[in-house]
Amino acid sequence: MATVSPARLRAGDLIRVALSGIRARPLRAVLSALGIAIGIAAMTAVVGISSSSRAELDRALAALGTNLLTVGPGNTMFGENATLPDEAPAMIARIGPVHAVAATGTVPDTGVYRTDRIPPAQTGGIAVMAAQLNLLSTVGASVASGSWLNPATARYPAVVLGATAARRLGAVPSVYLGGRWFTVTGVLDPVPLAPELDSAVLVGWPAAQSYLDFDAHPTTVYTRSDDAQVTAVRDVLAATANPENPDEVEVSRPSDALPARQATNRTFTRLLLGLGAVALLVGGIGVANTMVISVLERRAEIGLRRALGATRRQVRLQFVAESSLLSLAGGAGGVLIGAAVTALYAAAQDTPAVVPAWALVGGIVVTVVIGAAAGLYPAIRAARLAPAEALASS
């Protein structure tokens, strides 16, 4: 006697059957998906708001120079002043975690004067420094008035005044130094991370070589690196800046705010993981509760399907697919709501809007996984119902 094999339930058929089961009870499906969405939205919003707050805190701490290190020449073994190689900034830039390098070089024996009538000894304590063009972004400086040097003005007699230098010189269109007039193109705001720039007149690196006999040796090299690698970068800066004589190089120590920044990041990370886990657990419980009630309400349907030839495996797959689709809809909606809440909060607080990619993608994926797992027990319970028992209880 030939045995009748059950019909195969293809993936497309499984999805259609699951969607039919969801559409048969639209209100319950909407409320279930909404419950999941609220949990995921809360998780995404908490993660996004916390990440945005952390980004603002990182920005504030970065202003304190947590990842800023300076390199300068020390003394030779004979006690004389050492010099950094001309190639020091370029060699430091090759260090992997370093993402910004800028240098200044002191121009010796060069005074700065309002007019050419002032005695040479009356310099006002203003130094002349050659500066590379990316100096402002590296040290976090800003221009109070006028403009910073550019590739054109850096080659001609043009200067930018530090805040203190501008106050001492007054509002002058040009200054006299090195036996010629230099046009003032801008004035800087005070630079908390590099106060030596406040009392300096900054000249383009090529112009300092052409007009002031600058020897091109950097006096100070400013570096910005990844926060987590600041200490490691500091350990190799001397040998990188001057491979032949690393003992003749002085490197600043990291800012005291760096440990606080790292501790804050660790605390935020633990907070985000904990809140995310709680939100996902709540969503999973909601899915499990919905699917258990669905099994109790649909005993007649389950019995009819079993009587028409549906196997236990097909019934299990149907209920798991339904819970997965509900979780997918709720997770996707929750992620969008949470991202929108984060954007509104960031706009209101004038902070960067940051929603980590892992929260967006992970929220949906983990929700579907938890939803499928939460629907597994109700699916097994539905598959165990005997057709006659299910139909008789309806």
Side-chain angles (χ1 to χ4, degrees):
M1 179 177 176
T3 58
V4 179
S5 59
R8 296 181 58 187
L9 190 62
R10 294 175 295 183
D13 297 328
L14 177 62
I15 293 176
R16 282 194 292 272
V17 170
L19 289 174
S20 297
I22 293 173
R23 286 197 297 266
R25 295 163 180 79
L27 180 59
R28 179 172 293 279
V30 169
L31 292 177
S32 301
L34 181 60
I36 298 169
I38 292 174
I40 300 304
M43 183 206 74
T44 306
V46 168
V47 171
I49 291 173
S50 300
S51 298
S52 300
S53 300
R54 179 167 64 179
E56 176 64 19
L57 179 61
D58 285 344
R59 187 168 65 178
L61 290 176
L64 301 177
T66 55
N67 61 349
L68 179 68
L69 294 173
T70 60
V71 180
N75 296 321
T76 67
M77 61 182 301
F78 301 107
E80 299 175 350
N81 293 330
T83 57
L84 291 176
D86 297 355
E87 303 81 9
M91 292 189 293
I92 291 173
R94 296 191 184 100
I95 301 175
V98 173
H99 52 74
V101 178
T104 60
T106 301
V107 181
D109 304 324
T110 304
V112 181
Y113 311 96
R114 296 183 59 184
T115 72
D116 55 353
R117 304 296 182 182
I118 297 177
Q122 298 179 8
T123 62
I126 300 174
V128 179
M129 294 184 181
Q132 294 183 339
L133 296 181
N134 61 338
L135 177 65
L136 260 62
S137 59
T138 303
V139 301
S142 59
V143 178
S145 62
S147 60
W148 175 243
L149 300 169
N150 57 49
T153 56
R155 297 181 175 277
Y156 294 97
V159 298
V160 173
L161 306 181
T164 303
R167 187 170 62 252
R168 292 174 182 172
L169 292 170
V172 291
S174 59
V175 293
Y176 189 77
L177 61 115
R180 69 169 57 238
W181 290 97
F182 281 67
T183 302
V184 177
T185 64
V187 176
L188 298 182
D189 287 315
V191 187
L193 300 183
E196 63 274 10
L197 301 180
D198 293 343
S199 57
V201 168
L202 302 171
V203 186
W205 204 274
Q209 292 178 277
S210 300
Y211 302 109
L212 303 175
D213 296 328
F214 175 53
D215 59 9
H217 287 306
T219 304
T220 304
V221 181
Y222 302 92
T223 70
R224 292 274 191 176
S225 54
D226 296 339
D227 292 331
Q229 301 294 328
V230 172
T231 303
V233 169
R234 184 181 187 276
D235 292 339
V236 301
L237 273 178
T240 304
N242 191 348
E244 294 184 358
N245 300 292
D247 295 337
E248 298 179 2
V249 179
E250 290 185 351
V251 181
S252 66
R253 68 183 186 89
S255 168
D256 292 333
L258 181 60
R261 185 176 185 179
Q262 294 172 341
T264 301
N265 285 335
R266 288 193 297 268
T267 302
F268 265 116
T269 300
R270 289 193 293 267
L271 173 66
L272 297 183
L273 292 177
L275 292 174
V278 170
L280 291 176
L281 178 62
V282 172
I285 293 174
V287 173
N289 179 62
T290 299
M291 299 311 297
V292 168
I293 295 175
S294 180
V295 170
L296 296 176
E297 289 181 346
R298 298 164 63 184
R299 292 170 66 91
E301 176 192 338
I302 295 168
L304 182 59
R305 287 184 182 276
R306 296 281 284 115
L308 292 176
T311 65
R312 291 184 175 183
R313 178 175 179 273
Q314 290 171 348
V315 173
R316 285 197 300 268
L317 289 175
Q318 174 189 347
F319 276 83
V320 170
E322 286 185 21
S323 64
S324 299
L325 289 175
L326 280 174
S327 299
L328 176 62
V335 163
L336 293 177
I337 295 172
V341 171
T342 301
L344 292 175
Y345 171 83
Q349 299 295 322
D350 193 23
T351 61
V354 180
V355 181
W358 63 264
L360 297 176
V361 178
I364 297 176
V365 172
V366 175
T367 304
V368 172
V369 172
I370 290 180
L376 188 59
Y377 169 72
I380 295 174
R381 181 174 178 177
R384 287 177 177 173
L385 290 175
E389 177 189 350
L391 290 172
S393 63
S394 61

